[in-house]
Amino acid sequence: MRRFALAALAATLLSEPVQAAPPLPPDLAEFLSYPFIAELSAPATGGALAWVETREGVRNVWLARGPDFSAKKLTQGTSDDGMELTELTWSPDGKVLVWVRGGGESNSWAAGYPAPNPASLAQQPVQEVWASVEGAAPVKLGEGADPVVSASGRVAYIKDNQPWVVDAHAPTKPEKLLTDRGKVSSLVWSPDGTKLAFVSKRLEHSLIGVYSGPDQPIVWLAPSTGTDADPVWSPDGKRLAWTRRTGTPDLIANLLKEQPNPFSIWTADAASGEGQKLWQSPATFNGSYPEVPDGLFLNWGPNDTLTFRAEMDGWAHLYALPTTGGTPRLLTPGDCIVEHVSTVPDGSALTYDSNCGKGAGDIDRRHVSRVTLATGKIQNLTSGTGIEFVPATPGKDSAAWIASTPTTPMRVTLSQGGKTLVLSQSSTYAPKGMVVPKPVIFTASDGQTVHGQLFQTASAKAQPALVFVHGGPPRQMLLGWSYMDYYAHAYAMNQYYAAHGYTVLSVNYRLGIGYGRAFQHPEGAGLTGNTEYRDVLAGAKFLAAQNGVDSKRIGIWGGSYGGLLVAHALALNSDLFKAGVDFHGVHDWTNFLERINGPRRYDQPGYDQVMKTAWESSPISELKGWTSPVLLISGDDDRNVRFDQTITLAQRLAAQGTPFEELILPNEIHGFLRHQSWVKADAASVRFLARELEK
């Protein structure tokens, strides 16, 4: 009887037609087929370049060696497997190239999680360190991340918060280098490769240690109760420099008020650990440790000169400081920020990208420049309406960067001997309907000036419109492709929507980078009052007033912190925003462990008030006004914003009868690792917005 029942059931199932997946929206695959280039880097001695290229989820490492810099593909990736290739790292002489395969973002609460498995493989993936010696076929060295390569080709890396080592020239079984009771990070080999400096994170303080061999004790550099970070070696390998922050001041301060977080720069003898403070930043907001991409970028250059990034004039700039102490010298003046930095082979100059250009709209672009340390002379290497970022320096008289235009995707470009060469594989990316976004400026209700990018075709007439809000929030959307894969994807989608009958406004709201420290650190923002939403609302009103826009059909989309702002928009202004797409947003600040639920002290004032303000600053506290439909999209292995933020919102929307749809991607993380995941999410977004806004 049971066999008969199973056979009958199987026959029934086979006789029923299988429901096919809906076809992709027109042209979506073309708009998402752009190549993305990252990790561009050169060895300390120059002479070579490497980068990672991703095309429709297929990732590969590329290598180009001088003098002709002909590009060679080192890896043979062919599938959209979700395995990232990151952390390209050179040996000083350029003979060994190392990288990490697998993994993804992680916050402290997710530190013990296994590597992501976005393809839902039956066997758990692991994070691996790989190497290529002089361009040979790659070899797996071990399991771990954060590799650094010594002058002799020894590769040190982190596994289970401890350092391991293996020889790239003759890889055998990796060895655990030492056991430290802290969490080890920031490995740095001495110039001769005989010593290894590292950071040991120990609960509320951290130390800089120096390992000299298995029979030598660790040397600790001027230990203190502070937070030590950013270790760098002197060129002769006898000393180190690092930064120190003396505790976490907000532990005993009102959490609703930002506190200055000053830092100092120290040096110490590598053999004895005896150290001294060279310089102390002002105990002001502008003197705080910089919270910008690439951080402080401490570097020890020639003539005993340290260089670093700081915001002492309210903007992220490069400074030079003699190792004898004194006052830092500003290298890159202007109302603009310096972002990615590389060092020329002899250390005499720094190559960097910034929004310091003088062209109209350049505050929303990146161009490449070089500053000579001795004279402070700046040479602008690029300009115009394109965008150039992530410079690498293969020679004293050459420079490379990733270049694009508003309608042309990224390519590796080398400037050498008066010639400009494109090194990366050519792209046929040319979807129909791309536009050149326009820089726009509008004003929030409290007087804050806000920048944005407007995407609109010349033929726009009474069409629906979308506000896009980025995540982060220390991010900046540009007048072209972004150097971050998440926002390169967002740029492609904004272009797609513009080409398919929408006017799109991308809003660079307060809390973002690019417009100075005061803009990035405003009062009353985030969980302390949500003032950044005023910028989004001002953007929507600006958008509604544009020619060609139907003000009754405005939607909003965004991810992460942008998802938070989507939820705010629908909760507070469903009268204006008719629909939204919320990618993995924060919805309840009181349950966001990274921001609030840290260590508490008996004398820490106002904790109950903090929780009350955080709740009132959360969209989940304003759900009664939320009537517009929303599409919720999230991976359930999110290691940035906990998945329960989406679960709780969905439950509460359902309880009050607010219409919502959801697309959940099992085993995906915050920044989806598979191209297939993005395509699925984008297709769902396009269909949802078409139904809700094109009625």
Side-chain angles (χ1 to χ4, degrees), residues 42-44 46 297-303 305-308 318-320 329 331-332 338 340-353 368-381 391-399:
F297 195 80
L298 185 64
N299 184 68
W300 199 315
N303 302 316
T305 299
L306 294 168
T307 57
F308 63 96
L318 297 174
Y319 289 82
R329 175 167 49 95
L331 295 173
T332 57
V338 169
H340 307 96
V341 188
S342 67
T343 307
V344 302
D346 65 0
S348 63
L350 299 175
T351 309
Y352 60 91
D353 65 47
V368 176
S369 303
R370 177 172 291 172
V371 59
T372 302
L373 301 188
T375 64
K377 181 181 178 180
I378 294 176
Q379 178 187 8
N380 295 321
L381 303 181
T393 314
K396 183 177 180 180
D397 299 316
S398 63

Coordinates of all heavy atoms in Angstrom, one line a residue, residues 42-44 46 297-303 305-308 318-320 329 331-332 338 340-353 368-381 391-399:
A42 N 50.6 47.4 -5.6 CA 52.0 47.2 -6.2 C 52.9 46.9 -5.0 O 52.7 47.3 -3.9 CB 52.5 48.5 -6.9
P43 N 54.0 46.1 -5.3 CA 54.9 45.8 -4.2 C 55.7 47.0 -3.8 O 55.8 48.0 -4.5 CB 55.8 44.7 -4.8 CG 55.7 45.0 -6.3 CD 54.3 45.5 -6.5
A44 N 56.4 47.0 -2.6 CA 57.1 48.1 -2.1 C 58.2 48.6 -3.0 O 58.4 49.8 -3.1 CB 57.7 47.8 -0.7
G46 N 58.0 48.3 -6.3 CA 57.5 48.6 -7.6 C 57.7 47.5 -8.6 O 58.1 46.3 -8.2
F297 N 46.3 55.5 8.3 CA 47.3 55.3 7.3 C 48.7 55.8 7.7 O 49.3 56.7 7.1 CB 47.0 55.9 5.9 CG 47.9 55.3 4.8 CD1 47.6 54.1 4.2 CD2 48.9 56.1 4.3 CE1 48.5 53.6 3.2 CE2 49.8 55.6 3.3 CZ 49.5 54.4 2.7
L298 N 49.1 55.3 8.9 CA 50.4 55.7 9.4 C 51.5 55.1 8.6 O 51.5 53.9 8.3 CB 50.6 55.3 10.9 CG 51.8 55.7 11.6 CD1 51.9 57.3 11.7 CD2 51.9 55.1 13.0
N299 N 52.6 55.9 8.2 CA 53.6 55.3 7.3 C 54.9 56.0 7.7 O 55.0 57.2 8.1 CB 53.3 55.7 5.9 CG 54.3 55.1 4.9 OD1 54.4 53.9 4.8 ND2 55.1 55.9 4.3
W300 N 56.0 55.2 7.7 CA 57.3 55.7 8.1 C 58.1 55.9 6.8 O 58.5 54.9 6.1 CB 58.1 54.7 9.0 CG 59.2 55.3 9.7 CD1 60.2 56.1 9.3 CD2 59.5 55.1 11.1 NE1 61.0 56.5 10.2 CE2 60.7 55.9 11.4 CE3 58.9 54.4 12.2 CZ2 61.2 55.9 12.7 CZ3 59.5 54.4 13.4 CH2 60.6 55.2 13.7
G301 N 58.4 57.1 6.4 CA 59.0 57.4 5.2 C 60.5 57.7 5.4 O 61.1 57.5 6.5
P302 N 61.2 58.2 4.3 CA 62.6 58.5 4.4 C 62.9 59.7 5.3 O 61.9 60.5 5.6 CB 63.0 58.7 3.0 CG 61.7 59.2 2.3 CD 60.6 58.5 3.0
N303 N 64.1 59.9 5.6 CA 64.5 61.1 6.4 C 63.8 61.2 7.8 O 63.5 62.2 8.3 CB 64.3 62.4 5.7 CG 65.1 62.4 4.3 OD1 66.2 62.0 4.3 ND2 64.4 62.8 3.3
T305 N 60.7 60.6 8.7 CA 59.5 61.3 8.6 C 58.3 60.3 8.6 O 58.3 59.4 7.9 CB 59.4 62.1 7.3 OG1 60.5 63.1 7.3 CG2 58.1 62.9 7.2
L306 N 57.4 60.6 9.5 CA 56.1 59.8 9.6 C 55.0 60.6 8.8 O 55.0 61.8 8.9 CB 55.7 59.6 11.0 CG 56.6 58.7 11.9 CD1 56.2 58.8 13.4 CD2 56.5 57.3 11.4
T307 N 54.2 59.9 8.1 CA 53.0 60.5 7.5 C 51.8 59.8 8.0 O 51.8 58.6 8.3 CB 53.1 60.4 6.0 OG1 53.2 59.1 5.6 CG2 54.3 61.2 5.4
F308 N 50.7 60.5 8.1 CA 49.4 60.0 8.6 C 48.3 60.9 8.1 O 48.5 62.0 7.6 CB 49.5 59.9 10.1 CG 49.6 61.2 10.9 CD1 48.4 61.8 11.3 CD2 50.8 61.8 11.1 CE1 48.5 63.0 12.0 CE2 50.9 63.0 11.8 CZ 49.8 63.6 12.2
L318 N 46.4 64.5 4.7 CA 47.7 63.9 5.0 C 48.6 64.9 5.7 O 48.7 66.1 5.3 CB 48.4 63.3 3.7 CG 47.6 62.2 3.0 CD1 48.3 61.9 1.7 CD2 47.5 61.0 3.9
Y319 N 49.4 64.4 6.7 CA 50.3 65.2 7.4 C 51.7 64.5 7.5 O 51.7 63.3 7.4 CB 49.8 65.5 8.9 CG 48.6 66.4 8.9 CD1 47.3 65.9 8.7 CD2 48.7 67.7 9.3 CE1 46.2 66.7 8.8 CE2 47.6 68.5 9.3 CZ 46.4 68.0 9.1 OH 45.3 68.9 9.2
A320 N 52.7 65.3 7.7 CA 54.1 64.8 7.8 C 54.6 65.2 9.2 O 54.4 66.4 9.6 CB 55.0 65.3 6.8
R329 N 53.0 68.7 9.7 CA 53.0 69.7 8.5 C 51.9 69.2 7.6 O 51.9 68.0 7.1 CB 54.3 69.7 7.8 CG 54.4 70.5 6.5 CD 55.8 70.8 6.1 NE 56.6 69.5 6.2 CZ 56.8 68.8 5.1 NH1 56.3 69.1 3.9 NH2 57.5 67.7 5.2
L331 N 50.0 68.4 4.3 CA 50.5 68.1 3.0 C 49.4 68.3 1.9 O 49.8 68.6 0.8 CB 51.0 66.6 2.9 CG 52.2 66.2 3.7 CD1 52.4 64.7 3.7 CD2 53.4 67.0 3.3
T332 N 48.2 68.2 2.3 CA 47.1 68.2 1.2 C 46.0 69.2 1.7 O 44.9 68.7 2.1 CB 46.5 66.8 1.0 OG1 46.0 66.3 2.3 CG2 47.6 65.8 0.5
V338 N 41.1 63.3 1.5 CA 42.0 62.3 0.9 C 41.6 61.0 1.4 O 41.3 60.7 2.6 CB 43.5 62.6 1.4 CG1 44.4 61.4 1.0 CG2 44.0 63.9 0.8
H340 N 42.1 57.0 -0.5 CA 43.1 55.9 -0.6 C 44.5 56.4 -0.9 O 44.6 57.3 -1.8 CB 42.6 54.9 -1.7 CG 41.2 54.5 -1.6 ND1 40.1 55.1 -2.2 CD2 40.6 53.5 -0.8 CE1 39.0 54.6 -1.9 NE2 39.3 53.6 -1.0
V341 N 45.5 55.8 -0.3 CA 46.9 56.3 -0.4 C 47.8 55.2 -0.7 O 47.7 54.1 -0.1 CB 47.3 57.0 0.9 CG1 48.6 57.7 0.8 CG2 46.2 58.0 1.4
S342 N 48.8 55.4 -1.5 CA 49.9 54.5 -1.7 C 51.2 55.2 -1.7 O 51.3 56.4 -1.9 CB 49.7 53.7 -3.1 OG 49.9 54.6 -4.2
T343 N 52.3 54.5 -1.5 CA 53.6 55.1 -1.4 C 54.5 54.8 -2.6 O 54.5 53.6 -3.1 CB 54.3 54.5 -0.1 OG1 53.4 54.7 1.0 CG2 55.6 55.2 0.2
V344 N 55.2 55.7 -3.1 CA 56.1 55.5 -4.2 C 57.3 54.6 -3.7 O 57.5 54.5 -2.5 CB 56.7 56.8 -4.8 CG1 55.6 57.6 -5.3 CG2 57.6 57.5 -3.8
P345 N 57.9 53.8 -4.5 CA 58.9 52.8 -4.1 C 60.0 53.4 -3.1 O 60.4 52.7 -2.2 CB 59.5 52.3 -5.4 CG 58.4 52.4 -6.3 CD 57.7 53.7 -6.0
D346 N 60.5 54.6 -3.4 CA 61.5 55.1 -2.5 C 61.0 55.9 -1.3 O 61.7 56.4 -0.5 CB 62.5 56.0 -3.2 CG 61.9 57.3 -3.8 OD1 60.7 57.5 -3.6 OD2 62.7 58.1 -4.4
G347 N 59.6 55.9 -1.2 CA 59.0 56.6 0.0 C 59.0 58.1 0.0 O 58.5 58.7 0.9
S348 N 59.5 58.7 -1.1 CA 59.6 60.2 -1.1 C 58.3 60.9 -1.4 O 58.3 62.1 -1.3 CB 60.7 60.6 -2.2 OG 60.2 60.2 -3.5
A349 N 57.3 60.2 -1.8 CA 56.0 60.8 -2.2 C 54.9 59.8 -1.9 O 55.1 58.6 -1.8 CB 56.0 61.2 -3.7
L350 N 53.7 60.4 -1.8 CA 52.5 59.6 -1.6 C 51.5 59.9 -2.8 O 51.4 61.1 -3.2 CB 51.8 60.0 -0.3 CG 52.6 59.8 1.0 CD1 51.8 60.3 2.2 CD2 52.9 58.3 1.2
T351 N 50.9 58.8 -3.3 CA 49.9 59.0 -4.4 C 48.6 58.7 -3.7 O 48.4 57.7 -3.0 CB 50.2 58.0 -5.5 OG1 51.6 58.1 -5.9 CG2 49.3 58.2 -6.7
Y352 N 47.6 59.5 -4.0 CA 46.3 59.4 -3.3 C 45.2 59.8 -4.2 O 45.4 60.5 -5.3 CB 46.3 60.3 -2.1 CG 46.5 61.8 -2.3 CD1 45.5 62.6 -2.5 CD2 47.8 62.3 -2.4 CE1 45.6 64.0 -2.8 CE2 48.0 63.6 -2.6 CZ 46.9 64.5 -2.8 OH 47.1 65.8 -3.1
D353 N 44.0 59.4 -3.9 CA 42.8 59.9 -4.5 C 42.0 60.8 -3.6 O 42.1 60.6 -2.3 CB 41.9 58.8 -5.1 CG 41.3 57.9 -4.1 OD1 40.7 58.4 -3.1 OD2 41.3 56.7 -4.3
V368 N 43.2 61.5 -8.9 CA 44.4 61.0 -8.4 C 45.5 62.1 -8.4 O 45.6 62.8 -9.4 CB 44.9 59.8 -9.1 CG1 46.3 59.3 -8.6 CG2 43.9 58.6 -9.0
S369 N 46.2 62.3 -7.3 CA 47.3 63.3 -7.2 C 48.5 62.6 -6.5 O 48.4 61.5 -6.0 CB 46.8 64.5 -6.4 OG 45.7 65.1 -7.0
R370 N 49.6 63.4 -6.5 CA 50.8 62.9 -5.8 C 51.4 64.1 -5.1 O 51.5 65.2 -5.6 CB 51.8 62.3 -6.8 CG 53.1 61.9 -6.2 CD 54.0 61.1 -7.2 NE 53.4 59.8 -7.5 CZ 53.8 59.0 -8.4 NH1 54.9 59.3 -9.2 NH2 53.2 57.8 -8.6
V371 N 51.8 63.9 -3.8 CA 52.5 64.9 -3.0 C 53.9 64.5 -2.7 O 54.1 63.3 -2.2 CB 51.6 65.3 -1.8 CG1 51.4 64.1 -0.9 CG2 52.3 66.4 -1.0
T372 N 54.9 65.3 -2.9 CA 56.2 65.1 -2.5 C 56.4 65.5 -1.0 O 56.1 66.6 -0.7 CB 57.2 65.9 -3.4 OG1 57.0 65.5 -4.8 CG2 58.6 65.6 -3.0
L373 N 57.0 64.6 -0.2 CA 57.0 64.8 1.2 C 58.0 66.0 1.5 O 57.7 66.8 2.4 CB 57.5 63.6 1.9 CG 56.6 62.3 1.8 CD1 57.1 61.2 2.7 CD2 55.2 62.6 2.0
A374 N 59.1 66.1 0.9 CA 60.1 67.1 1.3 C 59.6 68.5 1.0 O 59.9 69.4 1.8 CB 61.4 66.8 0.5
T375 N 58.9 68.7 -0.1 CA 58.5 70.0 -0.6 C 57.1 70.3 -0.4 O 56.7 71.5 -0.4 CB 58.9 70.2 -2.0 OG1 58.1 69.3 -2.8 CG2 60.4 70.0 -2.3
G376 N 56.2 69.3 -0.3 CA 54.8 69.5 -0.2 C 54.2 69.8 -1.6 O 53.0 70.1 -1.6
K377 N 55.0 69.7 -2.6 CA 54.5 70.0 -4.0 C 53.5 68.9 -4.4 O 53.7 67.7 -4.2 CB 55.6 70.0 -5.0 CG 55.2 70.4 -6.4 CD 56.3 70.4 -7.4 CE 55.8 70.7 -8.8 NZ 57.0 70.7 -9.8
I378 N 52.3 69.3 -4.9 CA 51.3 68.4 -5.3 C 51.2 68.4 -6.9 O 51.1 69.5 -7.5 CB 49.9 68.8 -4.7 CG1 49.9 68.7 -3.2 CG2 48.8 68.0 -5.4 CD1 48.7 69.1 -2.5
Q379 N 51.2 67.2 -7.4 CA 51.0 67.0 -8.9 C 49.6 66.3 -9.1 O 49.4 65.2 -8.6 CB 52.1 66.2 -9.4 CG 52.0 65.9 -10.9 CD 53.1 64.9 -11.4 OE1 53.8 64.4 -10.6 NE2 53.1 64.8 -12.7
N380 N 48.7 67.0 -9.8 CA 47.4 66.4 -10.1 C 47.6 65.5 -11.3 O 47.9 65.9 -12.4 CB 46.4 67.4 -10.4 CG 46.1 68.3 -9.1 OD1 46.1 67.7 -8.0 ND2 45.9 69.6 -9.3
L381 N 47.4 64.2 -11.2 CA 47.6 63.2 -12.2 C 46.4 63.0 -13.1 O 46.5 62.5 -14.2 CB 48.1 61.9 -11.6 CG 49.3 61.9 -10.8 CD1 49.7 60.5 -10.2 CD2 50.5 62.5 -11.5
P391 N 44.7 54.4 -6.1 CA 46.0 54.4 -6.8 C 47.0 53.4 -6.3 O 47.0 53.0 -5.1 CB 46.5 55.8 -6.6 CG 45.9 56.2 -5.2 CD 44.6 55.5 -5.2
A392 N 47.8 52.9 -7.2 CA 49.0 52.0 -6.8 C 50.2 52.6 -7.5 O 50.1 53.3 -8.5 CB 48.8 50.6 -7.2
T393 N 51.4 52.4 -7.0 CA 52.6 53.1 -7.5 C 53.6 52.0 -7.9 O 54.4 51.6 -7.0 CB 53.1 54.1 -6.5 OG1 52.0 54.8 -6.0 CG2 54.1 55.0 -7.1
P394 N 53.7 51.6 -9.1 CA 54.7 50.6 -9.5 C 56.1 51.2 -9.8 O 57.0 50.4 -10.1 CB 54.1 50.0 -10.8 CG 53.3 51.2 -11.4 CD 52.7 51.9 -10.2
G395 N 56.2 52.5 -9.8 CA 57.5 53.1 -10.0 C 57.5 54.6 -9.5 O 56.4 55.2 -9.4
K396 N 58.7 55.2 -9.3 CA 58.8 56.5 -8.8 C 58.2 57.5 -9.8 O 57.6 58.5 -9.5 CB 60.2 56.9 -8.6 CG 60.4 58.3 -8.0 CD 61.9 58.6 -7.7 CE 62.0 60.0 -7.2 NZ 63.4 60.3 -6.8
D397 N 58.3 57.2 -11.1 CA 57.8 58.1 -12.2 C 56.6 57.5 -12.9 O 56.3 57.9 -14.0 CB 58.9 58.4 -13.2 CG 60.1 59.1 -12.5 OD1 59.8 60.0 -11.7 OD2 61.2 58.6 -12.8
S398 N 55.9 56.6 -12.2 CA 54.7 56.0 -12.8 C 53.6 55.9 -11.8 O 53.9 56.0 -10.6 CB 54.9 54.7 -13.5 OG 55.4 53.7 -12.5
A399 N 52.4 55.7 -12.2 CA 51.2 55.5 -11.3 C 50.1 54.8 -12.0 O 50.0 54.9 -13.2 CB 50.7 56.9 -10.8

